[in-house]
């Protein structure tokens, strides 16, 4: 599917992608003054249904990000969710999708600020291709780029301009022969990946940086914590994590909307555990894959069905 064939929601209407424009001087583009979400939809060919994952959680986070920036969102939660379902249905997607809602400063003058600016809101949805190409697990490095600090630009908000931090770390990692970066915060504790939260497992306990470690409070992170505790009976501790704990870990995995749950098999060239995806990570991945297709009744409210062609969810 080409971008020219896609319908988007922009400026209050459903329009073809190529008819939705922002001006060259738009603040969101020039200064990064905007925030966004990434939402996944999983296509089930047997059910002929498209399942959107954690729609409300993502839009709640967009509301929080927009509030932190002081940008108004034009719709309430229910309307944002409805528009997203309608957008997917209008496009007739019969494939996995990635949905990108965003709100940014639509001002087109010179002068950086967040006050006295109009907000521009849009939702774009595109067919999704695998974000992580390496099936056997990722080789990660600890980045020399530090995670932005809450006192600089708050990573708790999914701010457009903050992704310079992620892009520098990711491209540096790739240039040095790794798949992904793990960023430390300024005090040297583990923060997160370029576009994912990070977990480690040691002696049967899972650990992940707590929200004060300059992380984005990930939706997939919350799912992973829930599934580890409730389904796999693995205790989860949220706390500050040292770099050397990455080297000592039995298992490490990333969580994120685009990549899902992905094992890390080495950090700074040191194998994680035996250098293979870990058993807990693999079980969690399988469970999460069922949840995003609405196949775990306990977590059926994690997904929203676009087409509602069948009355019940299969198991
Ligand atoms: N951290 C960063 C910096 C991210 O960009 C993402 C992806 N949105 C995540 C963590 C994971 O968050 P989520 O599970 O909500 O996608």
């Amino acid at each position: 599917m080409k971008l020219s064939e896609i319908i988007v929601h922009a400026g209050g209407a459903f329009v073809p992608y190529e008819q939705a424009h922002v001006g060259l001087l738009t603040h969101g583009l020039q200064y990064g003054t905007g925030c966004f979400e990434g939402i996944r939809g999983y296509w089930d060919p047997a059910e002929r249904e498209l399942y959107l994952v954690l729609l409300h959680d993502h839009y709640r986070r967009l509301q929080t990000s927009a509030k932190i920036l002081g940008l108004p969102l034009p719709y309430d939660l229910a309307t944002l969710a409805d528009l997203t379902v309608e957008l997917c249905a209008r496009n007739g997607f019969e494939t996995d999708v990635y949905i990108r809602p965003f709100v940014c400063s639509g001002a087109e003058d010179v002068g950086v600020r967040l006050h006295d600016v109009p907000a521009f809101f849009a939702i774009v949805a595109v067919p999704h291709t695998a974000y992580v190409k390496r099936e056997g697990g990722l080789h990660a490095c600890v980045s020399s780029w530090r995670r932005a600090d809450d006192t600089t630009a708050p990573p708790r908000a999914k701010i457009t301009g903050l992704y310079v931090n992620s892009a520098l770390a990711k491209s540096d990692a790739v240039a040095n022969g790794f798949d992904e970066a793990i960023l430390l915060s300024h005090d040297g504790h583990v923060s997160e990946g370029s576009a994912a939260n990070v977990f480690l497992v040691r002696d049967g306990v899972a650990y992940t940086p707590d929200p004060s470690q300059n992380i984005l409070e990930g939706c997939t992170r919350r799912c992973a914590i829930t599934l580890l505790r409730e389904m796999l009976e693995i205790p989860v501790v949220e706390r500050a994590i040292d770099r050397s704990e990455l080297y000592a870990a039995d298992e490490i995995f990333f969580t994120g909307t685009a990549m899902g749950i992905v094992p890390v098999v080495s950090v700074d060239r040191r194998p994680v555990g035996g250098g293979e995806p870990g058993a807990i990570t693999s079980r969690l991945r399988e469970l999460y894959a069922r949840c995003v297709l609405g196949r775990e009744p306990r977590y059926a409210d994690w997904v929203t069905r676009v087409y509602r062609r069948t009355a019940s969810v299969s198991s």
Side-chain angles (χ1 to χ4, degrees):
M1 200 169 193
K2 298 193 196 99
L3 282 179
S4 58
E5 294 165 5
I6 285 171
I7 303 290
V8 303
H9 188 274
F14 290 102
V15 291
Y17 182 89
E18 289 177 344
Q19 282 178 28
H21 295 295
V22 291
L24 293 179
L25 281 177
T26 302
H27 281 204
L29 180 64
Q30 298 287 348
Y31 302 127
T33 44
C35 52
F36 66 102
E37 272 306 315
I39 304 171
R40 272 295 290 275
Y42 290 84
W43 172 247
D44 183 338
E47 295 265 351
R48 298 187 52 71
E49 182 58 283
L50 180 59
Y51 294 91
L52 306 185
V53 181
L54 298 175
L55 208 42
H56 288 90
D57 296 52
H58 282 285
Y59 278 120
R60 263 206 303 275
R61 189 170 65 190
L62 187 67
Q63 280 182 327
T64 304
S65 298
K67 187 177 176 194
I68 288 171
L69 291 182
L71 288 173
L73 271 179
Y75 306 107
D76 63 15
L77 269 186
T79 309
L80 289 165
D82 288 349
L83 284 174
T84 307
V85 169
E86 185 176 348
L87 179 67
C88 290
R90 280 181 184 243
N91 278 291
F93 292 128
E94 297 198 343
T95 171
D96 290 352
V97 295
Y98 181 84
I99 304 161
R100 171 60 60 80
F102 66 94
V103 61
C104 71
S105 165
E108 292 182 66
D109 58 3
V110 174
V112 70
R113 64 186 188 279
L114 279 163
H115 61 279
D116 297 336
V117 293
F120 176 82
F121 175 79
I123 315 174
V124 183
V126 289
H128 183 79
T129 46
Y131 181 82
V132 171
K133 304 259 180 332
R134 202 185 275 270
E135 272 307 309
L138 299 179
H139 297 279
C141 64
V142 173
S143 182
S144 57
W145 293 99
R146 293 291 169 105
R147 186 70 179 122
D149 189 78
D150 192 77
T151 56
T152 310
R156 172 169 289 103
K158 199 168 165 63
I159 297 171
T160 312
L162 258 176
Y163 278 78
V164 167
N165 187 207
S166 294
L168 286 167
K170 171 80 181 198
S171 290
D172 207 33
V174 170
N176 287 309
F178 299 97
D179 301 311
E180 185 54 81
I182 297 174
L183 290 91
L184 306 181
S185 48
H186 282 266
D187 70 0
H189 288 117
V190 173
S191 181
E192 60 182 347
S194 66
N197 293 112
V198 64
F199 286 69
L200 65 87
V201 179
R202 193 175 177 199
D203 296 332
V205 178
Y207 301 87
T208 193
D210 67 85
S212 71
Q213 305 300 319
N214 292 304
I215 63 168
L216 182 74
E217 294 161 338
C219 298
T220 322
R221 173 184 182 275
R222 202 159 47 244
C223 292
I225 291 173
T226 302
L227 293 175
L228 284 164
R229 285 183 179 149
E230 294 181 359
M231 299 295 280
L232 300 180
E233 294 177 1
I234 304 285
V236 183
V237 180
E238 296 180 60
R239 65 157 170 79
I241 292 174
D242 290 328
R243 175 181 188 157
S244 59
E245 290 185 270
L246 296 172
Y247 301 159
D250 302 321
E251 301 185 28
I252 298 180
F253 58 88
F254 284 123
T255 64
T257 296
M259 63 165 71
I261 295 173
V262 177
V264 175
V265 291
S266 77
V267 176
D268 294 340
R269 307 277 179 228
R270 292 160 175 82
V272 176
E276 301 282 327
I280 293 170
T281 308
S282 301
R283 282 164 65 204
L284 183 62
R285 256 168 80 82
E286 281 163 28
L287 203 47
Y288 182 72
R290 291 178 54 75
C291 290
V292 296
L293 288 170
R295 292 180 185 171
E296 282 295 331
R298 189 168 176 182
Y299 307 110
D301 63 349
W302 288 4
V303 293
T304 304
R305 297 151 64 98
V306 168
Y307 298 115
R308 299 181 175 85
R309 284 182 177 130
T310 50
S312 67
V313 174
S314 70
S315 56

